[in-house]
Amino acid sequence: MSRSRRLVEDWRYADQSALALLWPLPAPERIVVAPGESVTRALVHEGEGVVQLEVELGAGAVADIRVLSHGAGYGRVEVSATLGEGADFTLGAVQLCDGDAKREVVASVTHAGPDATSRQLVRSVAGGRSSASVLGRIVVDKGADGTDAEQSIRALLLARGASANARPELEIHADDVKCAHGCAVGELDEGALFYMAARGLDPATARALMLQAFIAEPFAGSTMEEQLMGAARTALGAMA
Amino acid sequence: MLTIDNLHATVADKPILKGLSLTINPGEVHAIMGPNGAGKSTLGYTLGGRPGYEVTGGSVSFMGQDLLALEPHERAAAGLFLGFQYPVEIPGVSFVQFLREALNAQRKARGEAPLSGGEFLKLAREQAALLKMDMDMLKRPVNVGFSGGEKKRAEMVQMGILNPSLAVLDETDSGLDIDALRVVGEGINAIMRAKNQDGTGKSVLLITHYQRLLDYVKPDFVHVLAGGRIVKSGGPELALALEEQGYEAVTA
């Protein structure tokens, strides 16, 4: 796919009228991680707006980015990362959408050097008439042998009017590469909800436990895990 | 304890229970046996209040309350425990967290103080030991990665922790090897032969295909369920006759 065509594709699920009001966007924030250094970032994006991060990882560098995106209106978090030799990149993102919200996470991870590892974990919960979109790309450049890349995208729909889009994309130009990816859209498991009720949990508590469990993975292992889960629990509690 | 009178229930508009009556007194163990499709699991789910299992007639009284008027979680708090034939896996929620929330929700509904983390862990450890289950298993997500036998054992650990007045156990013996069957049988006896706080006896309704669990948990009464109704009742000897001669011969 040509560069310009790809750029257009990256905005296909965007709320165009909301975007027009936000345009032109400020320049993306650039995070450069020097060879051997590490950076962690926990970002809470509430409400309307576009957040763009460009992360460049030198040889052996580590970047750990966690995102909680929630609230009303059109919200987009875009993270692109370029990995040098032996670098390690983690993106764990949760988006919670309700009402008429339109939210999206757009991730692009490029393995430019060999033996780098990356993980993209995105969990979306969509209620009301909201829509949650995830575009996740893994690019493995020529010569980036020994790449170990993983991508997992899951969405849970809480209402009939809610929708989720997931578009995984793999572009591999090297031979010795491991790329695992998975996508799933589902609803709360009725069987599990009844099992919990049969043990004495009221419906609201059972549902809250299930939702917390669903969104826990992208925050697991973060130094900010407790704060992010706390904020997510509050946001989930406010959802219908 | 439990009085089921002329119970009718449908699943997806199909009548399954067609006039089932059964009385269980405190301290009694009843076994319900029957061929596939007789309505055994439907009885368990209907008593538990599972969505989709619709009562179309009859009544169920549980410790003086109209059981059918209660929500599933209220039935649990009232002292009913439903042991699942196929326990459900819940990724991301640990057994310890799940059971502590469940127990404290039940205690709250009964106006009792919640157990602290320490008190709960002590109770969980005792009950796990009773079923010879490693406490580390309870730190894992609910039933995830458990074998069929481990899930059934875990059901009994849950029963021990929640300490119900009436346990309805749906094919708790399926998927168990001989040793696990003995451990589970002894566990049921240890938990359910104990008295309630008020000194009354606990009751058990065992739903099973086979006589073998009844070697360990000796029933006071055995019933044969066929076509959505109880067609024959008797003592423990009825289970032996069924095992030897089959349902058709015994109920003919």
PDB file of all heavy atoms in Angstrom, chain A residues 115-132:
ATOM      1  N   ASP A 115      16.037  -8.649  15.937  1.00  0.00           N
ATOM      2  CA  ASP A 115      15.947  -9.140  17.320  1.00  0.00           C
ATOM      3  C   ASP A 115      15.196  -8.216  18.283  1.00  0.00           C
ATOM      4  O   ASP A 115      15.447  -8.225  19.490  1.00  0.00           O
ATOM      5  CB  ASP A 115      17.355  -9.411  17.889  1.00  0.00           C
ATOM      6  CG  ASP A 115      18.091 -10.454  17.056  1.00  0.00           C
ATOM      7  OD1 ASP A 115      17.443 -11.429  16.633  1.00  0.00           O
ATOM      8  OD2 ASP A 115      19.304 -10.263  16.798  1.00  0.00           O
ATOM      9  N   ALA A 116      14.299  -7.404  17.761  1.00  0.00           N
ATOM     10  CA  ALA A 116      13.504  -6.558  18.648  1.00  0.00           C
ATOM     11  C   ALA A 116      12.189  -7.272  18.989  1.00  0.00           C
ATOM     12  O   ALA A 116      11.745  -8.157  18.261  1.00  0.00           O
ATOM     13  CB  ALA A 116      13.219  -5.214  17.986  1.00  0.00           C
ATOM     14  N   THR A 117      11.613  -6.896  20.128  1.00  0.00           N
ATOM     15  CA  THR A 117      10.341  -7.498  20.547  1.00  0.00           C
ATOM     16  C   THR A 117       9.296  -6.419  20.743  1.00  0.00           C
ATOM     17  O   THR A 117       9.606  -5.312  21.193  1.00  0.00           O
ATOM     18  CB  THR A 117      10.501  -8.273  21.870  1.00  0.00           C
ATOM     19  OG1 THR A 117      11.174  -7.437  22.807  1.00  0.00           O
ATOM     20  CG2 THR A 117      11.285  -9.558  21.690  1.00  0.00           C
ATOM     21  N   SER A 118       8.059  -6.730  20.391  1.00  0.00           N
ATOM     22  CA  SER A 118       6.984  -5.748  20.607  1.00  0.00           C
ATOM     23  C   SER A 118       5.686  -6.440  20.962  1.00  0.00           C
ATOM     24  O   SER A 118       5.426  -7.576  20.565  1.00  0.00           O
ATOM     25  CB  SER A 118       6.786  -4.886  19.351  1.00  0.00           C
ATOM     26  OG  SER A 118       6.238  -5.652  18.296  1.00  0.00           O
ATOM     27  N   ARG A 119       4.864  -5.734  21.742  1.00  0.00           N
ATOM     28  CA  ARG A 119       3.533  -6.215  22.127  1.00  0.00           C
ATOM     29  C   ARG A 119       2.522  -5.086  21.972  1.00  0.00           C
ATOM     30  O   ARG A 119       2.786  -3.960  22.400  1.00  0.00           O
ATOM     31  CB  ARG A 119       3.509  -6.620  23.610  1.00  0.00           C
ATOM     32  CG  ARG A 119       4.002  -7.997  23.949  1.00  0.00           C
ATOM     33  CD  ARG A 119       4.236  -8.131  25.447  1.00  0.00           C
ATOM     34  NE  ARG A 119       5.130  -7.077  25.920  1.00  0.00           N
ATOM     35  CZ  ARG A 119       6.443  -7.089  25.757  1.00  0.00           C
ATOM     36  NH1 ARG A 119       7.045  -8.105  25.176  1.00  0.00           N
ATOM     37  NH2 ARG A 119       7.184  -6.074  26.182  1.00  0.00           N
ATOM     38  N   GLN A 120       1.415  -5.381  21.356  1.00  0.00           N
ATOM     39  CA  GLN A 120       0.296  -4.432  21.314  1.00  0.00           C
ATOM     40  C   GLN A 120      -0.908  -5.150  21.895  1.00  0.00           C
ATOM     41  O   GLN A 120      -1.356  -6.147  21.338  1.00  0.00           O
ATOM     42  CB  GLN A 120      -0.063  -4.029  19.884  1.00  0.00           C
ATOM     43  CG  GLN A 120       1.049  -3.383  19.070  1.00  0.00           C
ATOM     44  CD  GLN A 120       0.628  -3.212  17.602  1.00  0.00           C
ATOM     45  OE1 GLN A 120      -0.511  -2.858  17.305  1.00  0.00           O
ATOM     46  NE2 GLN A 120       1.537  -3.497  16.693  1.00  0.00           N
ATOM     47  N   LEU A 121      -1.420  -4.636  23.003  1.00  0.00           N
ATOM     48  CA  LEU A 121      -2.609  -5.232  23.622  1.00  0.00           C
ATOM     49  C   LEU A 121      -3.666  -4.143  23.707  1.00  0.00           C
ATOM     50  O   LEU A 121      -3.440  -3.126  24.365  1.00  0.00           O
ATOM     51  CB  LEU A 121      -2.308  -5.714  25.037  1.00  0.00           C
ATOM     52  CG  LEU A 121      -1.316  -6.856  25.210  1.00  0.00           C
ATOM     53  CD1 LEU A 121      -0.998  -7.051  26.689  1.00  0.00           C
ATOM     54  CD2 LEU A 121      -1.905  -8.133  24.645  1.00  0.00           C
ATOM     55  N   VAL A 122      -4.779  -4.343  23.051  1.00  0.00           N
ATOM     56  CA  VAL A 122      -5.833  -3.321  23.099  1.00  0.00           C
ATOM     57  C   VAL A 122      -7.164  -3.966  23.468  1.00  0.00           C
ATOM     58  O   VAL A 122      -7.559  -4.975  22.885  1.00  0.00           O
ATOM     59  CB  VAL A 122      -5.978  -2.574  21.756  1.00  0.00           C
ATOM     60  CG1 VAL A 122      -6.933  -1.388  21.913  1.00  0.00           C
ATOM     61  CG2 VAL A 122      -4.631  -2.097  21.240  1.00  0.00           C
ATOM     62  N   ARG A 123      -7.838  -3.418  24.459  1.00  0.00           N
ATOM     63  CA  ARG A 123      -9.156  -3.901  24.876  1.00  0.00           C
ATOM     64  C   ARG A 123     -10.133  -2.728  24.799  1.00  0.00           C
ATOM     65  O   ARG A 123      -9.863  -1.658  25.348  1.00  0.00           O
ATOM     66  CB  ARG A 123      -9.129  -4.415  26.315  1.00  0.00           C
ATOM     67  CG  ARG A 123      -8.156  -5.572  26.544  1.00  0.00           C
ATOM     68  CD  ARG A 123      -8.662  -6.864  25.928  1.00  0.00           C
ATOM     69  NE  ARG A 123      -7.724  -7.959  26.091  1.00  0.00           N
ATOM     70  CZ  ARG A 123      -6.804  -8.320  25.194  1.00  0.00           C
ATOM     71  NH1 ARG A 123      -6.671  -7.637  24.059  1.00  0.00           N
ATOM     72  NH2 ARG A 123      -6.015  -9.334  25.407  1.00  0.00           N
ATOM     73  N   SER A 124     -11.256  -2.959  24.144  1.00  0.00           N
ATOM     74  CA  SER A 124     -12.275  -1.911  24.034  1.00  0.00           C
ATOM     75  C   SER A 124     -13.584  -2.403  24.639  1.00  0.00           C
ATOM     76  O   SER A 124     -13.944  -3.563  24.466  1.00  0.00           O
ATOM     77  CB  SER A 124     -12.533  -1.554  22.567  1.00  0.00           C
ATOM     78  OG  SER A 124     -11.324  -1.236  21.903  1.00  0.00           O
ATOM     79  N   VAL A 125     -14.275  -1.507  25.327  1.00  0.00           N
ATOM     80  CA  VAL A 125     -15.622  -1.800  25.810  1.00  0.00           C
ATOM     81  C   VAL A 125     -16.532  -0.727  25.229  1.00  0.00           C
ATOM     82  O   VAL A 125     -16.265   0.464  25.393  1.00  0.00           O
ATOM     83  CB  VAL A 125     -15.695  -1.774  27.353  1.00  0.00           C
ATOM     84  CG1 VAL A 125     -17.126  -2.052  27.822  1.00  0.00           C
ATOM     85  CG2 VAL A 125     -14.729  -2.792  27.963  1.00  0.00           C
ATOM     86  N   ALA A 126     -17.572  -1.152  24.518  1.00  0.00           N
ATOM     87  CA  ALA A 126     -18.457  -0.173  23.877  1.00  0.00           C
ATOM     88  C   ALA A 126     -19.905  -0.415  24.290  1.00  0.00           C
ATOM     89  O   ALA A 126     -20.428  -1.517  24.156  1.00  0.00           O
ATOM     90  CB  ALA A 126     -18.326  -0.267  22.354  1.00  0.00           C
ATOM     91  N   GLY A 127     -20.518   0.630  24.829  1.00  0.00           N
ATOM     92  CA  GLY A 127     -21.934   0.571  25.204  1.00  0.00           C
ATOM     93  C   GLY A 127     -22.713   1.609  24.423  1.00  0.00           C
ATOM     94  O   GLY A 127     -22.160   2.301  23.560  1.00  0.00           O
ATOM     95  N   GLY A 128     -23.996   1.734  24.724  1.00  0.00           N
ATOM     96  CA  GLY A 128     -24.845   2.739  24.080  1.00  0.00           C
ATOM     97  C   GLY A 128     -24.848   2.581  22.574  1.00  0.00           C
ATOM     98  O   GLY A 128     -25.044   1.501  22.039  1.00  0.00           O
ATOM     99  N   ARG A 129     -24.591   3.697  21.870  1.00  0.00           N
ATOM    100  CA  ARG A 129     -24.493   3.642  20.408  1.00  0.00           C
ATOM    101  C   ARG A 129     -23.086   4.018  19.971  1.00  0.00           C
ATOM    102  O   ARG A 129     -22.859   4.537  18.876  1.00  0.00           O
ATOM    103  CB  ARG A 129     -25.545   4.571  19.782  1.00  0.00           C
ATOM    104  CG  ARG A 129     -26.978   4.063  20.031  1.00  0.00           C
ATOM    105  CD  ARG A 129     -28.019   4.853  19.281  1.00  0.00           C
ATOM    106  NE  ARG A 129     -28.098   6.224  19.761  1.00  0.00           N
ATOM    107  CZ  ARG A 129     -28.003   7.297  18.981  1.00  0.00           C
ATOM    108  NH1 ARG A 129     -27.822   7.154  17.683  1.00  0.00           N
ATOM    109  NH2 ARG A 129     -28.090   8.500  19.492  1.00  0.00           N
ATOM    110  N   SER A 130     -22.161   3.790  20.875  1.00  0.00           N
ATOM    111  CA  SER A 130     -20.777   4.215  20.619  1.00  0.00           C
ATOM    112  C   SER A 130     -20.070   3.260  19.664  1.00  0.00           C
ATOM    113  O   SER A 130     -20.568   2.178  19.371  1.00  0.00           O
ATOM    114  CB  SER A 130     -20.011   4.265  21.940  1.00  0.00           C
ATOM    115  OG  SER A 130     -19.803   2.958  22.436  1.00  0.00           O
ATOM    116  N   SER A 131     -18.928   3.716  19.186  1.00  0.00           N
ATOM    117  CA  SER A 131     -18.111   2.809  18.388  1.00  0.00           C
ATOM    118  C   SER A 131     -16.658   2.902  18.820  1.00  0.00           C
ATOM    119  O   SER A 131     -16.145   3.971  19.141  1.00  0.00           O
ATOM    120  CB  SER A 131     -18.262   3.090  16.892  1.00  0.00           C
ATOM    121  OG  SER A 131     -17.401   4.123  16.501  1.00  0.00           O
ATOM    122  N   ALA A 132     -16.028   1.739  18.887  1.00  0.00           N
ATOM    123  CA  ALA A 132     -14.625   1.649  19.276  1.00  0.00           C
ATOM    124  C   ALA A 132     -13.863   1.004  18.128  1.00  0.00           C
ATOM    125  O   ALA A 132     -14.227  -0.070  17.671  1.00  0.00           O
ATOM    126  CB  ALA A 132     -14.491   0.800  20.534  1.00  0.00           C
TER     127      ALA A 132
END
